[in-house]
Amino acid sequence: MSNNNPNNASGKDPHLLLQSAPLLHQKLTTPAAMKDVWIALLPASCASFWFFGISAVLILLTSIAGAILTEWIFTPTEKRRFALSDTSAGLTGLLLGLTLPAGIPLWMAFLGGMVSIGLGKVIWGGLGSNIFNPALLGRAFLLGTFPIAMTTWVSAGDLSDFFQLHSSNLALPFMQGQLDAMSEATPLGLMKFEQQVTSFGSLFIGNTAGSIGETSGFLIILGGIYLFLRNAINWRIPVAILTTAALFSLILLLVDNQQYPSPLFTLFSGGLLLGTFFMATDPVTSPLTPKGCWIFGIGIGFLVVLIRVYGGLPEGVLYAILLMNAATPLIDRYTQPRIFGRDKQNLKNNNKADK
Amino acid sequence: MMATDNIAYEEMIKGIWRDNPVFVQVLGMCPMLAVTNSAINAVVMGVATFFVLVGSSFLVSAFKQWIPKQVRISLYIIIIATFVTVVDYSLLAMLPAIHKELGAFIPLIVANCMILGRQEAFASKNTVKFAVMDAVGMSAGFMIALFSLGAVREILGVGALFGFDLFGPDFEPWVIMILPPGGFLTLGLLLLFFNWMTEKRKQFLIQLAEVDNETIKVKANG
């Protein structure tokens, strides 16, 4: 008989232990699920440090600090320890930070973290009550507020050493940052405005221009596979998004192979992979039913390609996911599964009777 | 005489805080969101509304016994529209630049439900003195709300207030603030702030009452 069993902490004989239901415990708690996402984001974060140097470290730290500070301020005192212990606020900050360009002033990253948690989460009633993905909401706010700073990209791997900091990072609060490095268009921007295709190799490894966490396709997929193996995400959503985006761009490629990019380019460029594995699969803002997940994923994949090809912006992942987030309650309502033991006819009659 | 003075004063002061048309009643949202992208536009809009509301409240309460109940709304609208036309042409003559910027929102004061609401709910049932006091308070409250929204949006969106540069040339403008989403965001945050203040005050009063009750109990027992 082992004394390590936590049920046996009081020293009683486990055979005589009486418990009330539920007797089966799921080990998956919110902090544990968050820990999985932290681990899965580790490779992409390290890649951002490698490609963008100390700027990336500082951006991630400030956006995390902004998020945690806002959570701390707006949570009632008695709930603070509980709310902060699940690390979800910090995770939102990290996800937001990974979608920012390397040359962005740090005060904007901090503000973005505050908006993510303040307007994206706390105002709806805290974790689990928000409609939109908080990190993406913060990014949408920053993109609408500071359009120039948010679309000035620095090429990855341009730095002579790790500690070379972009001077625009250190702009005073409310002031503009003057970028010292050469700004460069992202692969998507090059494709859209100059019809230049970036090679698959650099998209896969990540030494292109772009948000600090989105460039390396390989490491993001690695994180995604980890999440999938840990059963932390619903596999239907990424599969549906990636298949739809690939199919749609394949159709466009067959229509005109001069104007439209290849499916592989569509999948590996921009924030599609990061958004697919880490933002669209957010359990709070994605549908609950399997059928709903398919609809949700197909909608995102379709909208991403639609916005990229026909919209004014080079990138469409942000708005595609936010739009489908808004549709999630509706999808959930229309894909409710049949109650076990009842046929459809009865279900309809019951619904009528309820009304 | 003293008592009615106090009541009239109450009628005026309630529009500024307790029954603020924007922060409490959430009326008149159309001009509130549309013209507050700079402080000067907001203030001119507030002054125009002030003139229209006070004038029409005065006329409606003065003529209330001759207004047939069946057609009262159309008569209120005609009275309001008269004052709006006066404001429209006066602004065109005096401040043509701002008149151009406010555009359709000056004629749209006719449709401001805050104004019609005051006629229907207050001016048509009260004496001229109370109606005018109420109109002054309400439009002052409306003007304060317009100004606070316009000031926040102009300071963040342009870095200036009434056109005076506040932060110097390096200021990074918050583009979203002078666009429609900025209006909704700022209004929502201001409403949040006002509700929070009201809630705090209510809790404070409850606490105060409890303390009072306890002292009464202690006195009674002692």
Side-chain angles (χ1 to χ4, degrees):
Chain A
M1 194 165 47
S2 109
N3 281 329
N4 295 335
N5 186 348
N7 288 340
N8 204 15
S10 53
K12 286 176 190 160
D13 184 351
H15 295 286
L16 297 175
L17 195 69
L18 288 177
Q19 279 183 318
S20 57
L23 299 171
L24 290 175
H25 290 273
Q26 252 267 5
K27 285 215 180 89
L28 186 70
T29 55
T30 309
M34 295 298 161
K35 204 174 138 197
D36 276 341
V37 186
W38 279 100
I39 294 172
L41 279 171
L42 208 61
S45 314
C46 292
S48 73
F49 302 158
W50 175 263
F51 288 127
F52 297 102
I54 189 116
S55 296
V57 180
L58 290 178
I59 288 171
L60 292 186
L61 285 181
T62 38
S63 66
I64 292 173
I68 291 180
L69 190 75
T70 315
E71 178 100 355
W72 188 79
I73 290 172
F74 287 110
T75 314
T77 324
E78 66 271 20
K79 290 186 193 156
R80 261 177 202 163
R81 269 183 65 187
F82 180 72
L84 289 173
S85 66
D86 68 11
T87 68
S88 63
L91 191 63
T92 300
L94 177 67
L95 276 171
L96 170 75
L98 288 174
T99 64
L100 299 176
I104 192 171
L106 291 176
W107 68 269
M108 290 181 193
F110 190 81
L111 181 78
M114 290 181 75
V115 170
S116 288
I117 293 295
L119 296 182
K121 195 168 107 182
V122 175
I123 213 165
W124 304 94
L127 185 70
S129 311
N130 45 313
I131 297 178
F132 299 105
N133 183 310
L136 286 181
L137 197 113
R139 185 180 149 78
F141 176 84
L142 285 182
L143 190 63
T145 311
F146 311 113
I148 297 168
M150 283 293 285
T151 50
T152 308
W153 309 98
V154 187
S155 190
D158 258 6
L159 301 172
S160 52
D161 69 308
F162 177 77
F163 290 102
Q164 190 189 335
L165 186 67
H166 295 299
S167 63
S168 57
N169 285 140
L170 294 178
L172 289 172
F174 297 100
M175 296 300 156
Q176 282 168 356
Q178 303 296 339
L179 189 66
D180 50 358
M182 286 283 282
S183 71
E184 197 172 309
T186 60
L188 280 169
L190 287 174
M191 182 71 216
K192 190 170 184 75
F193 302 119
E194 289 159 42
Q195 311 287 310
Q196 273 181 37
V197 182
T198 312
S199 75
F200 175 70
S202 26
L203 288 175
F204 190 70
I205 293 167
N207 52 347
T208 58
S211 304
I212 56 177
E214 75 178 17
T215 55
S216 173
F218 169 65
L219 292 172
I220 295 168
I221 291 179
L222 211 64
I225 290 173
Y226 173 78
L227 281 183
F228 169 67
L229 291 178
R230 295 283 296 170
N231 213 2
I233 56 174
N234 193 331
W235 59 272
R236 292 175 187 87
I237 297 175
V239 169
I241 295 175
L242 298 179
T243 320
T244 316
L247 271 180
F248 190 19
S249 53
L250 185 68
I251 293 170
L252 287 175
L253 188 74
L254 292 179
V255 171
D256 182 356
N257 63 359
Q258 293 297 312
Q259 195 183 349
Y260 300 120
S262 71
L264 265 182
F265 180 85
T266 306
L267 294 187
F268 279 87
S269 59
L272 183 60
L273 287 171
L274 188 68
T276 300
F277 287 115
F278 293 100
M279 288 153 187
T281 54
D282 175 7
V284 178
T285 55
S286 60
L288 296 165
T289 59
K291 210 202 276 177
C293 286
W294 286 112
I295 298 174
F296 181 76
I298 290 170
I300 292 177
F302 181 72
L303 282 172
V304 166
V305 180
L306 200 70
I307 297 174
R308 279 186 185 178
V309 173
Y310 295 108
L313 296 167
E315 174 62 306
V317 175
L318 165 72
Y319 293 115
I321 297 179
L322 284 178
L323 280 172
M324 290 312 285
N325 280 164
T328 297
L330 195 69
I331 295 174
D332 264 340
R333 173 172 294 188
Y334 279 103
T335 56
Q336 271 181 18
R338 184 170 57 88
I339 299 167
F340 186 69
R342 292 191 195 180
D343 56 23
K344 281 186 176 170
Q345 202 56 47
N346 270 338
L347 190 70
K348 265 182 196 165
N349 290 341
N350 278 345
N351 278 348
K352 270 177 199 159
D354 285 347
K355 279 169 194 166
Chain B
M1 194 59 210
M2 198 62 201
T4 52
D5 270 357
N6 269 341
I7 296 168
Y9 178 70
E10 275 286 295
E11 294 296 355
M12 194 175 93
I13 217 75
K14 75 170 193 278
I16 293 171
W17 183 264
R18 187 163 53 81
D19 279 345
N20 188 296
V22 173
F23 295 131
V24 179
Q25 304 179 38
V26 199
L27 289 175
M29 287 297 104
C30 169
M32 192 69 207
L33 293 166
V35 302
T36 52
N37 49 8
S38 71
I40 189 75
N41 285 359
V43 167
V44 170
M45 189 66 184
V47 172
T49 313
F50 181 91
F51 176 75
V52 173
L53 182 55
V54 173
S56 46
S57 272
F58 171 76
L59 273 194
V60 165
S61 59
F63 293 123
K64 60 178 178 289
Q65 58 265 50
W66 294 297
I67 295 178
K69 204 164 173 46
Q70 292 84 347
V71 292
R72 65 189 192 286
I73 300 288
S74 21
L75 279 172
Y76 300 158
I77 293 286
I78 289 171
I79 292 171
I80 296 167
T82 313
F83 285 101
V84 170
T85 313
V86 173
V87 165
D88 195 8
Y89 282 114
S90 322
L91 278 182
L92 186 60
M94 290 186 292
L95 303 162
I98 291 175
H99 182 271
K100 202 174 174 187
E101 226 170 293
L102 293 180
F105 292 100
I106 295 278
L108 274 177
I109 297 176
V110 181
N112 188 333
C113 51
M114 191 263 287
I115 295 177
L116 188 65
R118 283 340 281 171
Q119 313 311 326
E120 171 73 10
F122 200 89
S124 61
K125 294 171 188 157
N126 285 285
T127 57
V128 174
K129 180 180 168 191
F130 283 127
V132 169
M133 284 304 226
D134 171 75
V136 169
M138 282 292 161
S139 42
F142 191 67
M143 210 189 302
I144 289 169
L146 276 169
F147 172 70
S148 43
L149 205 66
V152 169
R153 287 178 70 186
E154 191 181 350
I155 289 173
L156 291 179
V158 194
L161 187 62
F162 290 114
F164 293 111
D165 212 348
L166 293 180
F167 296 98
D170 276 346
F171 180 74
E172 174 84 39
W174 299 31
V175 179
I176 201 170
M177 280 300 165
I178 44 175
L179 298 175
F184 283 99
L185 263 178
T186 319
L187 179 65
L189 292 176
L190 282 175
L191 280 175
L192 183 76
F193 176 71
F194 268 76
N195 281 331
W196 180 70
M197 293 278 283
T198 318
E199 192 61 29
K200 278 268 155 191
R201 191 154 176 269
K202 210 189 275 171
Q203 280 174 3
F204 174 73
L205 288 178
I206 289 171
Q207 268 182 1
L208 214 62
E210 274 170 4
V211 170
D212 278 355
N213 280 343
E214 268 168 31
T215 45
I216 290 167
K217 268 183 206 163
V218 168
K219 273 179 191 168
N221 289 340

